[in-house]
Amino acid sequence: MLYNVAQLLREPVGSSRRYDLDGELSGIDELNPGPTPVTGHVELIKTNEGIVARVMVSLPLVVSCRRCLEATEAMHKIAFDEVFLPSVDMETGARLAMPEDEPELVIDGRNILDLTEVIRQFAVIETEDPVLCKPDCKGLCSQCGRNLNEGPCSCEQMAGDPRLAVLAQLVDAKDFKSSGERNK
C-alpha cells in the first residue's frame, strides 16, 4: 500500500490520482494477527499542505460477539480522509519540519506515501465495534458464564432482579386503573 507521489507533489493544487488498493495487513490485534486481506480504492489529491488520501477499504476482521464473547468473522468497511505531509521540499530538496505526534502521516524522503499503518490503526478501532455472532445470540448465563447458544445451563433461573421485587408486587397487585381510564 505504497504510492510514489513525486509527480503529484509537482502538480497544481487539486490534481488527483485514483488507485485500486489490494494488499495485506498484519498485527491488527490478537484475534487478527494477519495476514488480513484488504481491498478497496484510494484517491490522492494534491493540496497546499501535501496530499489528502481518501481511502475506502473492506477487510474481514475477527471480533468478539458482544453477547457470548465468541470470535466471529465479519466484513468491515473503513472510510477515511487523512492529510499526508511531505518531508522534503520538492523544489530545493531541503528537509521540512515534521510533526512528531503523527509520524505515519508523513511522505518519506523518496516521496513514498505509505497507507499501511494508517489503515491498520483504523482496523484496530473497527475491532472495538460491538457485533453479534448471529442475530438471535443468547449470550452468556449471568451466573455460571456458560454460552447459552450451546444449550441451557443448570443454574436456577431467577424471575428477575431481587432489588426490583417491590416493583413486581405493584404490577401484580393490579392496583392500576383499567386501561380505558389511563388513556383519558
Side-chain angles (χ1 to χ4, degrees):
M1 294 178 270
L2 305 172
Y3 300 92
N4 187 329
V5 293
Q7 185 60 38
L8 185 57
L9 286 170
R10 289 182 177 93
E11 293 181 11
V13 171
S15 299
S16 67
R17 303 280 190 283
R18 185 176 167 93
Y19 301 99
D20 288 332
L21 194 145
D22 189 13
E24 292 181 339
L25 291 178
S26 294
I28 296 172
D29 65 4
E30 301 82 32
L31 294 175
N32 299 282
T36 302
V38 179
T39 58
H41 61 269
V42 59
E43 182 178 15
L44 303 175
I45 305 164
K46 171 74 163 60
T47 68
N48 286 334
E49 295 177 348
I51 294 181
V52 171
R54 289 192 160 163
V55 180
M56 172 72 82
V57 294
S58 297
L59 66 160
L61 291 173
V62 178
V63 295
S64 295
C65 174
R66 69 178 182 205
R67 289 187 189 157
C68 69
L69 304 178
E70 290 292 321
T72 184
E73 183 174 307
M75 283 302 287
H76 292 262
K77 292 184 186 248
I78 299 172
F80 63 88
D81 294 353
E82 288 288 354
V83 177
F84 287 78
L85 302 174
S87 60
V88 176
D89 184 290
M90 290 303 292
E91 294 177 18
T92 65
R95 285 248 178 245
L96 300 173
M98 291 293 97
E100 294 178 17
D101 57 338
E102 295 180 311
E104 64 277 357
L105 298 178
V106 174
I107 301 167
D108 74 11
R110 297 175 319 220
N111 299 311
I112 302 295
L113 187 149
D114 187 357
L115 290 173
T116 309
E117 179 58 18
V118 178
I119 294 173
R120 190 194 71 76
Q121 289 179 15
F122 276 97
V124 168
I125 294 168
E126 193 71 21
T127 62
E128 300 299 319
D129 274 351
V131 298
L132 292 175
C133 59
K134 55 186 179 181
D136 62 341
C137 177
K138 296 176 183 174
L140 302 174
C141 172
S142 62
Q143 295 171 343
C144 69
R146 177 181 168 90
N147 186 342
L148 298 175
N149 294 314
E150 298 170 355
C153 64
S154 59
C155 295
E156 195 174 305
Q157 298 299 318
M158 293 198 288
D161 189 334
R163 297 172 291 182
L164 300 176
V166 173
L167 294 175
Q169 290 172 359
L170 288 174
V171 172
D172 292 339
K174 304 204 189 288
D175 287 336
F176 293 101
K177 297 177 184 176
S178 70
S179 62
E181 292 176 3
R182 269 188 271 157
N183 293 331
K184 288 183 181 177

